[in-house]
Short mmCIF file of all heavy atoms in Angstrom, two decimals:
data_model
loop_
_atom_site.label_atom_id
_atom_site.label_comp_id
_atom_site.label_asym_id
_atom_site.label_seq_id
_atom_site.Cartn_x
_atom_site.Cartn_y
_atom_site.Cartn_z
N LEU A 1 0.87 -1.15 -0.04
CA LEU A 1 0.00 -0.01 0.01
C LEU A 1 0.88 1.23 0.06
O LEU A 1 1.97 1.23 0.33
CB LEU A 1 -0.92 0.06 1.16
CG LEU A 1 -1.82 -1.30 1.44
CD1 LEU A 1 -2.71 -1.15 2.55
CD2 LEU A 1 -2.66 -1.61 0.23
N SER A 2 0.35 2.34 -0.46
CA SER A 2 1.07 3.62 -0.55
C SER A 2 0.19 4.83 -0.33
O SER A 2 -1.00 4.71 0.03
CB SER A 2 1.74 3.53 -1.90
OG SER A 2 0.60 3.94 -2.88
N GLU A 3 0.76 6.00 -0.38
CA GLU A 3 0.05 7.18 -0.27
C GLU A 3 -1.02 7.48 -1.26
O GLU A 3 -1.98 8.12 -1.08
CB GLU A 3 1.09 8.43 -0.20
CG GLU A 3 1.93 8.50 1.06
CD GLU A 3 2.91 9.65 0.94
OE1 GLU A 3 2.91 10.36 0.03
OE2 GLU A 3 3.55 9.96 2.03
N ASP A 4 -0.83 6.77 -2.36
CA ASP A 4 -1.97 6.82 -3.41
C ASP A 4 -3.03 5.96 -3.02
O ASP A 4 -3.12 4.62 -3.13
CB ASP A 4 -1.31 6.24 -4.73
CG ASP A 4 -2.27 6.34 -5.92
OD1 ASP A 4 -3.57 6.52 -5.61
OD2 ASP A 4 -1.94 6.31 -7.12
N LEU A 5 -4.08 6.61 -2.38
CA LEU A 5 -5.17 5.86 -1.71
C LEU A 5 -5.98 5.10 -2.75
O LEU A 5 -6.54 4.01 -2.44
CB LEU A 5 -6.00 6.75 -0.89
CG LEU A 5 -5.44 7.30 0.36
CD1 LEU A 5 -6.27 8.14 1.24
CD2 LEU A 5 -4.66 6.30 1.18
N HIS A 6 -6.12 5.67 -3.83
CA HIS A 6 -6.93 4.94 -4.90
C HIS A 6 -6.15 3.70 -5.31
O HIS A 6 -6.91 2.52 -5.32
CB HIS A 6 -6.98 5.82 -6.14
CG HIS A 6 -7.84 5.16 -7.31
ND1 HIS A 6 -9.20 4.97 -7.31
CD2 HIS A 6 -7.47 4.67 -8.41
CE1 HIS A 6 -9.53 4.48 -8.32
NE2 HIS A 6 -8.57 4.17 -9.03
N ALA A 7 -4.97 3.76 -5.51
CA ALA A 7 -4.23 2.41 -5.75
C ALA A 7 -4.17 1.49 -4.59
O ALA A 7 -4.34 0.24 -4.85
CB ALA A 7 -2.72 2.77 -6.27
N SER A 8 -4.07 1.96 -3.42
CA SER A 8 -4.10 1.09 -2.29
C SER A 8 -5.44 0.39 -2.00
O SER A 8 -5.46 -0.68 -1.72
CB SER A 8 -3.68 1.99 -1.01
OG SER A 8 -2.45 2.40 -1.05
N LYS A 9 -6.57 1.18 -2.28
CA LYS A 9 -7.80 0.66 -2.29
C LYS A 9 -7.88 -0.55 -3.32
O LYS A 9 -8.53 -1.71 -3.06
CB LYS A 9 -8.89 1.64 -2.38
CG LYS A 9 -10.43 1.12 -2.45
CD LYS A 9 -11.40 2.06 -2.68
CE LYS A 9 -12.79 1.62 -2.55
NZ LYS A 9 -13.09 0.44 -3.41
N ALA A 10 -7.47 -0.37 -4.52
CA ALA A 10 -7.43 -1.35 -5.48
C ALA A 10 -6.75 -2.55 -5.12
O ALA A 10 -7.15 -3.60 -5.29
CB ALA A 10 -6.86 -0.82 -6.79
N VAL A 11 -5.61 -2.44 -4.40
CA VAL A 11 -4.82 -3.57 -3.95
C VAL A 11 -5.75 -4.31 -2.88
O VAL A 11 -5.79 -5.58 -2.91
CB VAL A 11 -3.44 -3.05 -3.33
CG1 VAL A 11 -2.80 -4.17 -2.58
CG2 VAL A 11 -2.54 -2.54 -4.33
N LEU A 12 -6.19 -3.69 -1.99
CA LEU A 12 -7.04 -4.33 -0.86
C LEU A 12 -8.33 -4.97 -1.46
O LEU A 12 -8.56 -6.11 -1.08
CB LEU A 12 -7.42 -3.30 0.17
CG LEU A 12 -6.41 -2.80 1.17
CD1 LEU A 12 -6.99 -1.84 2.12
CD2 LEU A 12 -5.97 -4.08 1.95
N ASP A 13 -8.82 -4.30 -2.41
CA ASP A 13 -9.89 -4.98 -3.10
C ASP A 13 -9.65 -6.15 -3.75
O ASP A 13 -10.36 -7.22 -3.88
CB ASP A 13 -10.59 -4.04 -4.06
CG ASP A 13 -11.47 -2.85 -3.41
OD1 ASP A 13 -11.71 -2.95 -2.36
OD2 ASP A 13 -11.81 -1.86 -4.08
N LYS A 14 -8.51 -6.20 -4.46
CA LYS A 14 -8.06 -7.43 -5.26
C LYS A 14 -7.77 -8.61 -4.30
O LYS A 14 -8.01 -9.72 -4.61
CB LYS A 14 -6.79 -7.06 -6.04
CG LYS A 14 -6.31 -8.21 -6.91
CD LYS A 14 -5.22 -7.80 -7.74
CE LYS A 14 -4.83 -8.99 -8.66
NZ LYS A 14 -3.53 -8.61 -9.47
N ILE A 15 -7.29 -8.23 -3.17
CA ILE A 15 -6.86 -9.28 -2.17
C ILE A 15 -7.85 -9.75 -1.22
O ILE A 15 -8.02 -10.84 -0.92
CB ILE A 15 -5.51 -8.80 -1.39
CG1 ILE A 15 -4.39 -8.55 -2.27
CG2 ILE A 15 -5.10 -9.85 -0.29
CD1 ILE A 15 -3.06 -7.91 -1.65
N LEU A 16 -8.61 -8.83 -0.68
CA LEU A 16 -9.57 -9.03 0.44
C LEU A 16 -11.01 -8.88 0.24
O LEU A 16 -11.80 -9.54 0.76
CB LEU A 16 -9.16 -8.15 1.60
CG LEU A 16 -7.98 -8.54 2.33
CD1 LEU A 16 -7.64 -7.42 3.42
CD2 LEU A 16 -8.13 -9.90 3.06
N ALA A 17 -11.36 -7.92 -0.74
CA ALA A 17 -12.87 -7.73 -0.96
C ALA A 17 -13.63 -8.92 -1.35
O ALA A 17 -13.33 -9.44 -2.36
CB ALA A 17 -13.04 -6.47 -1.89
N GLY A 18 -14.71 -9.23 -0.59
CA GLY A 18 -15.55 -10.33 -0.92
C GLY A 18 -16.98 -9.87 -0.99
O GLY A 18 -17.30 -8.74 -1.17
N SER A 19 -17.86 -10.85 -0.82
CA SER A 19 -19.27 -10.54 -0.81
C SER A 19 -19.86 -11.61 0.25
O SER A 19 -19.43 -12.63 0.37
CB SER A 19 -19.97 -10.71 -2.10
OG SER A 19 -19.56 -11.97 -2.61
N PRO A 20 -20.98 -11.20 0.83
CA PRO A 20 -21.56 -12.18 1.85
C PRO A 20 -21.83 -13.50 1.50
O PRO A 20 -22.30 -13.69 0.25
CB PRO A 20 -22.79 -11.41 2.34
CG PRO A 20 -22.56 -9.96 1.96
CD PRO A 20 -21.73 -9.99 0.69
N ILE A 21 -21.53 -14.44 2.21
CA ILE A 21 -21.87 -15.83 2.11
C ILE A 21 -22.85 -16.25 3.05
O ILE A 21 -22.57 -16.31 4.24
CB ILE A 21 -20.63 -16.74 2.04
CG1 ILE A 21 -19.65 -16.32 0.85
CG2 ILE A 21 -20.96 -18.25 2.00
CD1 ILE A 21 -18.24 -17.14 0.99
N THR A 22 -24.04 -16.80 2.68
CA THR A 22 -25.15 -17.24 3.64
C THR A 22 -24.88 -18.64 4.05
O THR A 22 -24.08 -19.37 3.29
CB THR A 22 -26.43 -16.95 3.11
OG1 THR A 22 -26.68 -17.92 1.85
CG2 THR A 22 -26.60 -15.58 2.54
N ASN A 23 -25.70 -19.11 5.01
CA ASN A 23 -25.57 -20.44 5.33
C ASN A 23 -25.90 -21.45 4.24
O ASN A 23 -25.28 -22.48 4.21
CB ASN A 23 -26.67 -20.64 6.48
CG ASN A 23 -25.95 -21.27 7.75
OD1 ASN A 23 -25.07 -22.13 7.61
ND2 ASN A 23 -26.40 -20.77 8.99
N ALA A 24 -26.79 -21.03 3.40
CA ALA A 24 -27.22 -21.84 2.21
C ALA A 24 -26.07 -22.23 1.27
O ALA A 24 -25.80 -23.30 0.83
CB ALA A 24 -28.46 -21.16 1.54
N GLU A 25 -25.28 -21.06 1.07
CA GLU A 25 -24.02 -21.25 0.18
C GLU A 25 -23.02 -22.05 0.95
O GLU A 25 -22.36 -22.94 0.36
CB GLU A 25 -23.61 -19.87 -0.24
CG GLU A 25 -24.59 -19.08 -1.12
CD GLU A 25 -24.20 -17.60 -1.06
OE1 GLU A 25 -23.22 -17.26 -1.65
OE2 GLU A 25 -24.80 -16.87 -0.31
N TYR A 26 -22.76 -21.65 2.17
CA TYR A 26 -21.61 -22.38 2.87
C TYR A 26 -21.92 -23.83 2.95
O TYR A 26 -20.85 -24.65 2.91
CB TYR A 26 -21.55 -21.70 4.36
CG TYR A 26 -20.59 -22.52 5.15
CD1 TYR A 26 -19.27 -22.35 5.03
CD2 TYR A 26 -20.96 -23.52 6.12
CE1 TYR A 26 -18.33 -23.02 5.79
CE2 TYR A 26 -20.19 -24.25 6.84
CZ TYR A 26 -18.89 -23.99 6.74
OH TYR A 26 -17.93 -24.78 7.43
N SER A 27 -23.19 -24.31 3.13
CA SER A 27 -23.42 -25.74 3.25
C SER A 27 -23.00 -26.56 2.04
O SER A 27 -22.83 -27.77 2.09
CB SER A 27 -24.97 -25.99 3.53
OG SER A 27 -25.67 -25.62 2.41
N GLN A 28 -22.68 -25.86 0.88
CA GLN A 28 -22.22 -26.53 -0.28
C GLN A 28 -20.90 -26.25 -0.62
O GLN A 28 -20.30 -26.89 -1.73
CB GLN A 28 -23.06 -25.93 -1.51
CG GLN A 28 -24.68 -26.15 -1.39
CD GLN A 28 -25.02 -27.54 -1.23
OE1 GLN A 28 -24.58 -28.31 -1.95
NE2 GLN A 28 -26.09 -27.81 -0.35
N MET A 29 -20.11 -25.72 0.23
CA MET A 29 -18.67 -25.34 -0.03
C MET A 29 -17.65 -26.33 0.17
O MET A 29 -16.61 -26.38 -0.40
CB MET A 29 -18.38 -23.98 0.77
CG MET A 29 -19.04 -22.77 0.33
SD MET A 29 -18.46 -21.27 1.20
CE MET A 29 -16.78 -21.15 0.66
N GLY A 30 -17.88 -27.17 1.25
CA GLY A 30 -16.97 -28.20 1.64
C GLY A 30 -15.77 -27.62 2.34
O GLY A 30 -15.79 -26.62 3.06
N ASP A 31 -14.59 -28.16 2.16
CA ASP A 31 -13.27 -27.82 2.90
C ASP A 31 -12.80 -26.58 2.46
O ASP A 31 -12.83 -26.17 1.18
CB ASP A 31 -12.19 -28.90 2.65
CG ASP A 31 -11.24 -28.91 3.75
OD1 ASP A 31 -10.73 -27.74 4.04
OD2 ASP A 31 -10.96 -29.95 4.39
N LEU A 32 -12.31 -25.71 3.36
CA LEU A 32 -11.96 -24.35 2.99
C LEU A 32 -10.32 -24.21 2.85
O LEU A 32 -9.86 -23.16 2.79
CB LEU A 32 -12.41 -23.32 4.09
CG LEU A 32 -13.77 -23.13 4.32
CD1 LEU A 32 -14.08 -22.14 5.42
CD2 LEU A 32 -14.40 -22.65 2.93
N ILE A 33 -9.64 -25.34 2.68
CA ILE A 33 -8.12 -25.26 2.54
C ILE A 33 -7.99 -24.61 1.16
O ILE A 33 -8.49 -24.90 0.22
CB ILE A 33 -7.58 -26.68 2.61
CG1 ILE A 33 -7.63 -27.25 3.95
CG2 ILE A 33 -6.16 -26.66 2.12
CD1 ILE A 33 -7.11 -28.72 4.12
N GLN A 34 -7.00 -23.55 1.20
CA GLN A 34 -6.66 -22.77 0.06
C GLN A 34 -7.95 -22.14 -0.52
O GLN A 34 -8.13 -22.00 -1.68
CB GLN A 34 -5.94 -23.65 -0.97
CG GLN A 34 -4.62 -24.04 -0.52
CD GLN A 34 -3.87 -24.84 -1.53
OE1 GLN A 34 -4.52 -25.45 -2.54
NE2 GLN A 34 -2.56 -24.90 -1.41
N ALA A 35 -8.89 -21.68 0.30
CA ALA A 35 -10.06 -20.96 -0.28
C ALA A 35 -9.85 -19.68 -0.75
O ALA A 35 -10.60 -19.07 -1.55
CB ALA A 35 -11.15 -20.97 0.98
#
C-alpha cells in the first residue's frame, strides 16, 4: 500500500474484498483449505 489511496484501495479490493456468504451457500462449499 502507498500514499496513493486509490491504488491502495485497488490492492485491498483485489486481495480481500468479498461478498456475503449465507448459510445456504456455505453448506455446499466443503473444505476451506486454500479457499
Side-chain angles (χ1 to χ4, degrees):
L1 307 184
S2 68
E3 292 182 350
D4 185 340
L5 293 186
H6 179 76
S8 294
K9 180 181 182 301
V11 170
L12 281 177
D13 285 347
K14 183 177 180 179
I15 296 172
L16 282 176
S19 55
I21 295 174
T22 67
N23 236 321
E25 296 160 74
Y26 173 79
S27 65
Q28 304 298 317
M29 289 180 66
D31 203 309
L32 293 181
I33 292 178
Q34 296 183 335

